[in-house]
Amino acid sequence: MVSDPKARYRPGVLKYRQMGYWEPDYEPKDTDVLAVFRITPQDGVDPEEAAAAVAGESSTATWTVVWTDRLTDCERYRAKAFRVDPVPGTPGQYFAYIAYELDLFEEGSIANLTASIIGNVFGFKPLKGLRLEDMRIPVAYLKTFQGPATGIVVERERLNNFGRPLLGATMKPKLGLSGRNYGRVVYEALKGGLDFTKDDENINSQPFMHWRDRFLYCMEGVNRATAETGEVKGTYLNVTAATMEDMYERAEFAKELGSVIIMIDLVIGYTAIQSMAKWARRNDMILHLHRAGHSTYTRQKSHGVSFRVIAKWMRMAGVDHIHAGTVVGKLEGDPNVIRGIYDTCRETHVPQNLQHGIFFDQPWAGLKRMMPVASGGIHAGQMHQLLTYLGEDVILQFGGGTIGHPDGIQAGATANRVALETMVKARNEGRDIWNEGPEILRDAARWCAPLRAALDTWKDVTFDYASTDSVDYVPTPTAAM
């Protein structure tokens, strides 16, 4: 850094390191917002200068010296890149650690936080690629956010459902059904044993089915299934719309009909998400978030934002459910990456765990826990894998794996419910469900025709492809004691 004030503020261009955005001796404060970026500098760009540029362009810097810095507490407000590590096994890429003064951010605003951290800097020419891998949000900042509107504990109390994952299904086909037929699918799936059914991300209010018709027929199915089974049931009514006024109207109608849950899509934006979370808290409504669009920026390792970070932001924003990966389904999901995401959703304190992509300790300061949702290409024959990988506080959504059952929707739901309860019972008895799972399911299928048909139909169908988003982690050997 240039220490002489005359030289530092002389008109012209300085390197970001010279302007003070690289401080290798900096000790982060408890109140700092910390971020780790994966940077890929252009050929000939020094990694430390690249890290300093990211710090500068995501806080107070511009491309040239400006004397108006001296009208501010500039030493304090500059973000500080303080560490650069090579990415293991990936030449030319580096992990850059950056600290931000808390006063740079508006309290309780995901929009402001993200406008700073990922605002303009991702288009910076000296970088081939830039990815936000993880963040540490200080307790002082977390306490300005609402957090999940309902939370896992209260949701289970409302549903009177404990000791097992919840079961759901996404409507298939997700587009084209009339309101009446859509409601019939809801009823059949819930009566067969599911806890929830769900609108998919792109079902809103189209010519083939107006949103009001869908809500009416869906809630008729929910109420009939509840009455016939004696269990609390629900269906995620997607209130995503063109304007906030439309979304509030749909949410209010869902509330009038007695729904316990509504749904929104990630694509509505951070401000709209927080607005709906506040509405859900005021109206005692569970809020489900579909992560529509996330893979456009979360899947590739060299550029974008890790879904770990999106999950963290959404817990702060106040949603109760978020689609978080399945490991064994049709969508992206490395086991270690998924574990880190699920911990971010469910734990009250998340310790650093590089093997799971967690770069920082993250206390959650009393914010409620968020329920992860597993969906996309899963079926009853994978129940032992799902329970082992994902644990108990999760919603397992079998869309095609329910509605595609050869004996009908209700039979598909029954197959999934029997498979789940059988596997939970076996786990609680101390059996090795990972290795014995297929045998446990076959034994249960001897007494359950729907489960037998499901296993015969989908057998060992899986989507076994290499993940594009995996953890770059090299364990450090320790000397034997």
Side-chain angles (χ1 to χ4, degrees), residues 96-401:
Y97 292 75
I98 299 174
Y100 298 85
E101 169 66 36
L102 182 57
D103 284 355
L104 294 174
F105 307 102
E106 180 180 348
E107 63 272 15
S109 173
I110 297 294
N112 175 256
L113 174 67
T114 55
S116 294
I117 303 297
I118 61 171
N120 213 31
V121 69
F122 277 68
F124 198 52
K125 283 185 176 180
L127 300 174
K128 292 180 182 177
L130 180 64
R131 188 181 200 236
L132 179 58
E133 292 283 351
D134 198 13
M135 295 186 70
R136 195 282 305 270
I137 309 297
V139 168
Y141 195 41
L142 281 176
K143 296 300 284 185
T144 69
F145 288 87
Q146 169 185 285
T150 304
I152 291 175
V153 172
V154 174
E155 176 173 354
R156 285 197 176 277
E157 290 174 343
R158 289 183 185 175
L159 298 176
N160 194 31
N161 194 321
F162 307 93
R164 64 166 175 84
L166 302 178
L167 284 175
T170 305
M171 295 297 100
K172 304 296 177 186
K174 55 187 176 182
L175 297 174
L177 291 172
S178 68
R180 187 180 186 89
N181 284 330
Y182 201 93
R184 177 187 172 191
V185 176
V186 169
Y187 166 73
E188 294 283 347
L190 296 178
K191 186 172 187 296
L194 301 188
D195 304 297
F196 287 119
T197 53
K198 171 187 170 295
D199 291 347
D200 220 338
E201 75 279 6
N202 56 348
I203 186 69
N204 300 132
S205 191
Q206 284 101 325
F208 52 82
M209 180 170 55
H210 189 267
W211 69 269
R212 188 179 293 270
D213 291 339
R214 182 172 81 258
F215 284 23
L216 287 166
Y217 281 116
C218 282
M219 287 309 300
E220 179 185 3
V222 168
N223 292 334
R224 287 181 59 194
T226 298
E228 293 175 23
T229 64
E231 298 177 344
V232 180
K233 305 287 188 179
T235 191
Y236 312 166
L237 297 173
N238 191 357
V239 302
T240 297
T243 69
M244 286 304 304
E245 290 77 13
D246 291 338
M247 291 173 64
Y248 285 135
E249 179 188 6
R250 297 178 191 190
E252 289 288 349
F253 190 60
K255 176 187 172 184
E256 289 175 18
L257 294 176
S259 180
V260 299
I261 187 167
I262 58 170
M263 168 183 157
I264 54 177
D265 290 337
L266 181 62
V267 294
I268 67 175
Y270 301 135
T271 298
I273 290 169
Q274 286 193 264
S275 297
M276 291 309 304
K278 289 181 180 295
W279 182 93
R281 172 71 67 88
R282 289 195 304 269
N283 291 278
D284 293 325
M285 188 76 76
I286 300 168
L287 182 62
H288 176 94
L289 178 72
H290 190 294
R291 57 180 181 172
H294 81 97
S295 285
T296 57
Y297 49 86
T298 64
R299 191 177 182 190
Q300 300 302 322
K301 292 172 68 171
S302 62
H303 193 81
V305 180
S306 165
F307 194 76
R308 287 181 293 278
V309 178
I310 302 298
K312 188 168 291 188
W313 292 344
M314 292 302 99
R315 185 170 175 180
M316 294 161 64
V319 304
D320 292 304
H321 295 177
I322 188 169
H323 291 246
T326 68
V327 181
V328 298
K330 68 182 182 181
L331 303 177
E332 176 70 34
D334 173 80
N336 286 322
V337 171
I338 297 300
R339 178 65 181 274
I341 294 169
Y342 273 60
D343 286 349
T344 296
C345 293
R346 298 186 299 200
E347 299 302 321
T348 57
H349 179 93
V350 182
Q352 180 193 56
N353 189 330
L354 297 178
Q355 190 172 353
H356 296 157
I358 305 297
F359 286 78
F360 306 106
D361 288 354
Q362 179 63 69
W364 275 100
L367 265 67
K368 294 179 180 180
R369 300 185 299 141
M370 181 170 63
M371 183 82 84
V373 176
S375 66
I378 58 177
H379 56 83
Q382 299 166 320
M383 199 64 74
H384 56 297
Q385 298 169 316
L386 292 166
L387 192 58
T388 300
Y389 277 129
L390 307 181
E392 193 163 282
D393 282 328
V394 60
I395 301 175
L396 305 177
Q397 290 188 171
F398 303 84

Side-chain angles (χ1 to χ4, degrees), residues 2 16 39 43 94 131 179 223 247 266 368 373 410 413 417 420 437:
V2 177
Y16 290 89
I39 60 174
D43 295 343
Y94 304 85
R131 188 181 200 236
N223 292 334
M247 291 173 64
L266 181 62
K368 294 179 180 180
V373 176
Q410 190 172 149
R417 180 72 174 264
L420 175 62

